[in-house]
Each structure stands twice: as structure tokens, then as C-alpha cells.
Amino acid sequence: MFRPQIQKTRILAILALLNVVMVYWALNSYERHRTFGFDIKNQAVEVMESAINSLRTAFVQKAINEGKDLESFGDFLIGPENSAIQTTKGARLSKQSSLNPDFAAMVTEMLIELEIDSSNKVAVSYTGSYPGANIAVLSSLEAIQAEAIIIASCGASEFGATNPEMTWIDMEKYLFDEKVISNKSKYASIGGGLDLGTQLGIEGRKICEKSIYSNGLELLNIGDLK
């Protein structure tokens, strides 16, 4: 029977060896170069790690989740699926992913692309739904040394900052008092539907109002949206 030359064992062995050599060469023939802003991004990551570990202490003191990580770094910050200040549906995995300190490096990359530096003031609006993303933003601003004007909201979707004993407003103020961050909100709303907590009961709205006032913020509570 006719057998093509390429199917011969000797030829196949040579080709396999050639492939191994080429893969080895490819894996070892590159150079690593730090991208622009590497040091700033690395600093943002360090700030975020410090912020999460600082909050860990607060959670232990308040006996919330015992400050322990179950699956990944910082996931003790993930709140209950349902609570008095829970507003809408939310995905646990997405909340967990944003707690990766590398998220701060990604936000820093965005700010660098926008040419934000210490001479700029940055407008920020965030909610209690993604404490990890909020910490990443604050950490990036810290690394870049930019000043921020921040409006926050207290309510949170499932698995966000849904612990009534430690709302996002409480977390932010704690990090500010511990001098982990130098920016914090000036105004805050209840959040949720119409930004007035329409999905929340009376208890949830009271919890958010108390959190906002006790942390020295001005409540944004506009009853007539028109």
C-alpha cells in the first residue's frame, strides 16, 4: 500500500521534535517590559489590599462574617442576599470578582487613559452594590493623588454592602478615619428605586438615613423628581 512520506514514523518524530523546539523557543524568547504607569497601578493595588484588610478588622469588631474569606480575598465583604437595605437582584460572582485588588489597577489604567492626575478633580457616583469596585476607585484616586467629589447611595443589590450594621457609607467613613483613603462622600441618598428606596421598607429607609446622618453626610432626598 502506498504510504505518503509525511506519515512515516521518522518524519513524524522529526516534526514532533521540531514543534517542541519551536514552543520552547517561543516561551523563552520574549522580554518583559513594565507598561506605562506600572508603579502607580501597583500602588493602587497595595492601597486596595490595605483597605480590605482594614475593613476586616472592623467586621471582626462588629462580629460580621468573622472577617474571614471563604473562597477568595476580601469576600467577607459580601453581604447577605436579602436584608432590610437590599434593593434589587445581584450576582454574587460579580461582587466577588470586583474585590480582586487587581481591579484597582484596571481602574487606574482607565484614569491614566483619561489623563487624570493630581491636578484634577474627579466626579464620582457609586452605590453600596459593589463595595469592591468602590474601594478600587478610591484606591486608584489615592495612587494618582486626585481629589474627588463623591455622591454615594446606601442601598445595595444582593450580595453587595447589604449588612445593615455596616453599610457602604459606614465602610467609606471607616477607611477615611483610618487614613487609608483621603476622599469620601459629601452627599448620599438612600438609593434603590427613584433613589428614594422605593423597594425598601420603612426599616430599611431608616437604617440608611441613620447611616448617612451619623457619618456626617448630607442626605439627598428629593421627593419630586420633576
Side-chain angles (χ1 to χ4, degrees):
M1 181 186 296
F2 171 73
R3 185 181 184 189
Q5 190 76 6
I6 197 172
Q7 290 185 5
K8 291 185 177 180
T9 303
R10 178 172 57 86
I11 300 299
L12 291 174
I14 293 173
L15 289 174
L17 179 61
L18 180 61
N19 284 332
V20 170
V21 172
M22 291 177 67
V23 170
Y24 179 82
W25 175 75
L27 291 174
N28 294 277
S29 62
Y30 65 89
E31 295 180 357
R32 290 182 179 270
H33 295 282
R34 290 185 174 183
T35 58
F36 179 76
F38 175 85
D39 292 334
I40 299 176
K41 295 173 191 174
N42 193 50
Q43 184 180 348
V45 171
E46 291 175 356
V47 173
M48 184 163 177
E49 289 178 349
S50 176
I52 291 176
N53 283 324
S54 182
L55 285 171
R56 192 187 306 277
T57 301
F59 271 60
V60 170
Q61 292 171 348
K62 289 181 175 288
I64 304 173
N65 296 344
E66 298 181 348
K68 293 182 178 179
D69 298 330
L70 297 178
E71 299 174 353
S72 60
F73 179 71
D75 67 2
F76 70 92
L77 287 172
I78 294 176
E81 182 176 2
N82 299 302
S83 80
I85 60 172
Q86 177 258 323
T87 55
T88 59
K89 294 289 184 180
R92 188 180 192 279
L93 182 59
S94 62
K95 310 301 174 74
Q96 189 175 23
S97 298
S98 67
L99 286 165
N100 187 327
D102 286 344
F103 205 85
M106 184 187 74
V107 175
T108 304
E109 172 73 19
M110 294 176 179
L111 295 180
I112 290 174
E113 289 177 352
L114 291 170
E115 299 181 355
I116 301 296
D117 58 30
S118 58
S119 66
N120 298 116
K121 281 190 176 182
V122 181
V124 176
S125 174
Y126 51 35
T127 80
S129 295
Y130 281 84
N134 297 351
I135 296 171
V137 169
L138 292 169
S139 300
S140 300
L141 293 170
E142 221 43 48
I144 291 178
Q145 299 181 341
E147 183 181 352
I149 306 299
I150 306 175
I151 295 176
S153 66
C154 172
S157 58
E158 295 172 344
F159 309 111
T162 51
N163 285 295
E165 304 86 1
M166 186 64 111
T167 70
W168 166 247
I169 308 297
D170 298 327
M171 293 185 203
E172 183 194 65
K173 183 62 162 52
Y174 180 85
L175 292 175
F176 182 81
D177 289 344
E178 292 296 309
K179 296 182 172 24
V180 178
I181 58 172
S182 57
N183 289 293
K184 74 178 187 69
S185 302
K186 297 182 183 298
Y187 303 92
S189 69
I190 294 174
L194 302 179
D195 221 20
L196 299 171
T198 57
Q199 303 104 320
L200 306 182
I202 295 175
E203 179 190 0
R205 290 195 288 272
K206 285 184 176 179
I207 289 171
C208 281
E209 288 178 359
K210 180 181 178 181
S211 178
I212 291 168
Y213 286 131
S214 65
N215 286 298
L217 305 185
E218 185 173 337
L219 175 64
L220 292 174
N221 189 10
I222 302 172
D224 185 354
L225 293 182
K226 292 183 180 180

